[in-house]
Amino acid sequence: MILSLEYRHSPARYLASRTVTATKAGSRLAGMVAGNMSPLRLINLAAPVPPDEGWTRVAPRLSGICGSDLGLLMGRSSPYFSSLSSTPFVPGHEVVGETLDELPDLPAGSRVVLDPVLSCEPRAIEACQWCASNRESRCDHVTTGAISPGVQTGSCAETGGGWSRQFVAHRSQLHPVPDSLDDERAVLVEPLACAVHAARRVPVPTGASVVVIGAGTVGLMTLLALREIAPTSPIHVVAKHGHQQERALALGATAVHEPSRAARALRRSTKARMHSPEWGAEFLLGGVDVVFECTGGAAGLDTALRLTRAGGTVVVSGMPSGNVDLAPLWFRELQLVGAYASDSGGPDEVARRSDFDEAIELAGAAPLDGWVEPPYPLRRWREALSHAVDAGKLGSVKIAFAPGKD
């Protein structure tokens, strides 16, 4: 038996959480997520069993708490995903761990990071069109094959997840960690791979103006990836908290702006015209070329659409939630592009390194010291989740579990 945090879906609790989170914020919200309304419970579960010889058991060393995890617990995640998972499951997909079984090219005891996507290869089925072209994040078979439905480890009942002392993973999901990369940096590799993927989703021409909405983990890592891909472009960051603004500037942001002042600041830098509607936020005619929405909130996407020039592009890399006025999308003929998870190299005609290979290299070189707070044991899960909900206000970037700690 292994100690685990198990998520049990309850439509009644989902609706109740959705209602409460629509009106609460900050510490009150944190109390709700970690309190009696939480769909999580700390229990001892039977250890998951590797489905076949291509799998191994993994003991997590650190497991991050992602914004999408919090969205699930708050009832903010879309019901769209309810048929793409199998419950009850153990959350946790940002993991650095140690393998427990021998694989042909991966000895037991290897330190690895997890690519959580449960695509065709782990499911032991013929590759769909997306997996065949190395774009596993688009896999069409996430509910079929040899294991239970689940878009990722952390939403599949059969595999377990990182918020436990053991889960199982297929060899194709595991990336060895170099000795030079400590656990605190390694646990950031998965979200960093997602940021690399988002930055690659659209071309950023030389000199194109770019805005990143949000400077939490996703936003800061997207900025990091963009600085590698578009080193000469002006990149503005819209950040709510002072410490986020400081981190963004340290990572190479051209300028940072508070949300309430973003339109006015970008009006000047892009020579756009600003308009104030009878209701709703200000918007630009003119504006920036490419905007990356990294908050997952309705307000962030609304801001992104209002700052983008006609014919420009908005990349949605935070898991979206809430209702948004799409009038700017229609009126300015914008391109709205999704960026989900990561892939292993893209289509053959655009051959490149995998997002994880790029992320591992970037994690070793980037100024990430102090990004991961001292980790919590699973038994202190309520404190950990409360900290994660209030991370922005408290000056934190990444909150994680150390599942092996007592």
Side-chain angles (χ1 to χ4, degrees):
M1 304 295 283
I2 57 168
L3 192 66
S4 307
L5 279 170
E6 185 182 64
Y7 171 85
R8 285 187 172 270
H9 178 65
S10 164
R13 286 195 176 192
Y14 171 83
L15 291 173
S17 297
R18 202 169 176 88
T19 300
V20 171
T21 57
T23 58
K24 289 186 180 291
S27 57
R28 290 180 298 163
L29 186 60
M32 185 279 297
V33 170
N36 293 332
M37 289 184 65
S38 176
L40 284 179
R41 61 177 186 168
L42 183 68
I43 60 171
N44 286 301
L45 294 173
V49 178
D52 63 36
E53 66 276 4
W55 292 68
T56 178
R57 294 169 298 157
V58 179
R61 295 165 68 98
L62 290 178
S63 298
I65 300 174
C66 176
S68 62
D69 297 323
L70 296 177
L72 174 72
L73 300 177
M74 293 176 186
R76 286 180 174 171
S77 60
S78 171
Y80 175 93
F81 292 101
S82 61
S83 65
L84 303 178
S85 61
S86 47
T87 57
F89 59 74
V90 176
H93 59 272
E94 300 177 355
V95 185
V96 54
E98 187 174 314
T99 61
L100 300 179
D101 301 299
E102 292 284 333
L103 293 174
D105 62 341
L106 193 67
S110 297
R111 203 162 53 105
V112 293
V113 288
L114 173 74
D115 177 351
V117 175
L118 291 169
S119 54
C120 290
E121 189 171 358
R123 294 180 175 281
I125 52 180
E126 184 178 352
C128 67
Q129 61 172 323
W130 303 116
C131 292
S133 62
N134 300 318
R135 289 176 282 187
E136 296 87 354
S137 63
R138 301 183 183 182
C139 179
D140 287 331
H141 293 160
V142 294
T143 60
T144 61
I147 56 175
S148 304
V151 295
Q152 295 187 346
T153 303
S155 66
C156 173
E158 220 166 315
T159 62
W163 294 4
S164 67
R165 291 186 173 173
Q166 194 178 118
F167 66 95
V168 295
H170 188 264
R171 174 64 184 89
S172 64
Q173 296 179 275
L174 301 176
H175 299 263
V177 177
D179 292 339
S180 59
L181 201 66
D182 61 30
D183 287 348
E184 286 71 23
R185 285 174 176 259
V187 77
L188 297 172
V189 166
E190 192 278 338
L192 189 49
C194 296
V196 169
H197 183 71
R200 287 170 157 176
R201 280 289 287 126
V202 296
V204 181
T206 301
S209 55
V210 180
V211 168
V212 175
I213 307 288
T217 304
V218 176
L220 291 172
M221 290 187 168
T222 301
L223 171 61
L224 255 178
L226 285 167
R227 268 292 164 243
E228 292 291 309
I229 291 169
T232 64
S233 288
I235 303 177
H236 295 250
V237 175
V238 178
K240 183 177 180 181
H241 301 287
H243 74 93
Q244 294 175 335
Q245 295 168 7
E246 292 171 5
R247 289 183 190 272
L249 289 171
L251 294 176
T254 304
V256 296
H257 313 289
E258 295 179 4
S260 62
R261 299 182 178 181
R264 292 179 182 274
L266 291 164
R267 175 194 62 181
R268 292 190 292 270
S269 65
T270 61
K271 298 180 172 57
R273 292 179 179 274
M274 191 174 75
H275 293 264
S276 299
E278 189 173 4
W279 289 286
E282 300 160 332
F283 65 88
L284 301 180
L285 292 183
V288 297
D289 299 309
V290 186
V291 179
F292 290 82
E293 201 300 297
C294 300
T295 70
L301 182 53
D302 186 68
T303 298
L305 295 173
R306 291 167 186 264
L307 298 180
T308 308
R309 66 161 174 82
T313 302
V314 174
V315 180
V316 179
S317 59
M319 187 175 75
S321 63
N323 298 318
V324 178
D325 183 356
L326 295 179
L329 177 72
W330 167 75
F331 176 56
R332 306 309 284 160
E333 296 192 338
L334 305 181
Q335 299 181 70
L336 189 62
V337 177
Y340 165 69
S342 61
D343 63 39
S344 64
D348 294 339
E349 64 270 20
V350 193
R352 55 171 171 76
R353 298 173 70 196
S354 78
D355 295 327
F356 261 81
D357 287 343
E358 292 286 349
I360 289 171
E361 184 174 307
L362 192 52
L368 304 179
D369 292 338
W371 280 35
V372 180
E373 296 289 325
Y376 290 86
L378 291 174
R379 295 189 187 280
R380 292 174 58 196
W381 66 274
R382 297 179 190 277
E383 294 173 63
L385 293 179
S386 294
H387 192 169
V389 169
D390 284 335
K393 185 171 64 178
L394 296 173
S396 303
V397 178
K398 176 57 64 178
I399 313 304
F401 290 110
K405 288 179 60 177
D406 289 324

